[in-house]
Amino acid sequence: MSTKVFERTKGLTKKPFHYCPGCTHGIIHRLVGEVLEELGVLGKAIGVAPVGCSVFAYDYFNCDMHEAAHGRAPAVATGIKRVHPDSVVFTYQGDGDLASIGTAEIVHAAHRGEKITTIFVNNAIYGMTGGQMAPTTLIGQKATTAPLGRDEAHTGKPLKVSEMLSTIDGAKFVERVSVHNAANIRKAKKAIKKAFEVQLAGEGFGIVEVLSTCPTNWGMTPTESLKWLEENMIPYYPLGNFRTPEEVK
Amino acid sequence: MGKILMKGNEAIGAAAIKAGCKYFFGYPITPQNELPEYMSRELPKVGGVFLQAESEVAAINMVYGAAGAGARVMTSSSSPGIALKQEGISYIAGAELPCVIVNIVRGGPGLGGIQPAQSDYYQATRGGGNGDYRHVVYAPATLQETVDLVMEAFDVADMYRIPVMVIGDGMIGQMMEPVEFKEPKKRELPPKDWATDGTKGEREPNIINSLFIDPQELEDHVWKLEKKHELIKQNETRYEEYNLEDAEVVVVAYGTTSRVVKNAIAKCEEEGIKVGLIRPITLWPFPEEAFDKINENAKGVLTVEMSTGQMIDDVKIAVKGKHPVYFHGRTGGMVPDPRDIVAEIKKIAGGEK
Ligand SMILES: Cc1ncc(C[n+]2csc(CCOP(=O)(O)OP(=O)(O)O)c2C)c(N)n1
Ligand code: SF4
């Protein structure tokens, strides 16, 4: 008799992803889908899809979905959550979306302690528009709008979103994870689950920053990308938990 | 229910709550602050939510979320704030969601001033947001009309799944007049079965969206919106008309300006000059049909605005070249003087223009 060892989560629809080969957006989608399914909240989940490579997230998550303008997902999520306080509301945002154009919205969602969960995909670049510099682009990292590599004197140092948000009281759960190998993927899933549990417990705002790859715009193979993430991103963006409320510890 | 004396901004809030509005997202700006302040006091009493957003951009996107979630929701602001809301208004129109937006207009451009103005006619009727979209714009002239239209705005928004803007100015917002809250005419409103309120495992997911990456799909979507716009033109266009059959001069004015114009018309009538009036109540759809009723002997159409001339574009389109179109305007927060309007009317009637 054969046993099923892997099953597509009910948290995702059957629609095939449009992501580039080796892009870790797909893994992160799966983790969120699995967590929603395991927590039994798909029927009351409402996701907010951003502008960015994950713009079609509304076709992938198997729950009610709402598109947002670039950077505005936390505001849209606020509107939804205030209307349906018993629902489970999440945003899924890239680093251009959240850390550049949408800084006001994310900071103030955290500041209000908005009871939503944000999945923040940090791939250190603008993926969808073709590899421009993001606030998270590393020093020396090449981007189409930083052809010689990011220069600190010209554009400053990469923004550490988790560190920044963890100074805000309303942000009850803040953790940075990575999906570059199996062990870290397991940890990432745990963190995502906790972030949703914080919402379910009515504690406040929760965010999981997920370090992610963009082989296409980094100009690397998927394997090289995973290695680059580990060797370059993690030293600058240390993994770990910044805030957890007692209740879910 | 009898009449009660209320301040404009508060009357708007009261009308919205009477119409079942439960959610309000806004950001402070003069001269509309009494409205969010009223909502912050009153909405919690009816189990609703008032939330002061971090910006107008955030406020309108909160409205977008709440509208998608199926709620009756409103925001208000004044000119520079409405400029920031255009992004969200375009998304809301694109995703076909209902909401009500109040603009208590102040003078511009830039930070401008805080006194009454009508210099946002283009912004309201052309839309500062991107794309092929329209939204309804009501321009009440009295507080009674304001509360009537605010209440109706929620029904119209729900009926057509479209944003509805109610435009006033500091005069409407700040003045006190007696108002009575009357139920708007009953409409058969479609169920909000598209709302993101959770599938409860009982239906397929609902998706609120304005993205159509396939150009054919986007074209189909935009033409569908346009068909809806046509329907709104047919069913919802509103205006007040006066004496168009035998007027020598017809004046066109809306909102606060129309009140001044009415004084000027009365003065002219005392002197035996026959003056007509077209007062658009909907700025979009613009009441073009009213202009077909102007008698062919009229000597001219005078547009009076608190701007350097914005509605006059629509007046010219509606007049179809049948009469000369003249303009009188004050701007920057200055209100037209009825004596100046009388003088303009006389010039046109006397063939001086
Ligand atoms: C107001 C606005 N400005 C710019 C854009 C163009 N745009 C689309 S996606 C994007 C950046 C996406 O980058 P990121 O958020 O890092 O997500 P990724 O694509 O890397 O997943 C930009 C600038 C837009 N859609 N709207
Ligand atoms: S462009 Fe980059 S982030 Fe976007 S799907 Fe491709 S690999 Fe992923």
Side-chain angles (χ1 to χ4, degrees), chain A residues 19-20 23 25 53 123 127 214-217:
Chain A
Y19 298 109
C20 307
C23 174
H25 261 304
C53 279
N123 58 12
C214 178
T216 301
N217 291 302

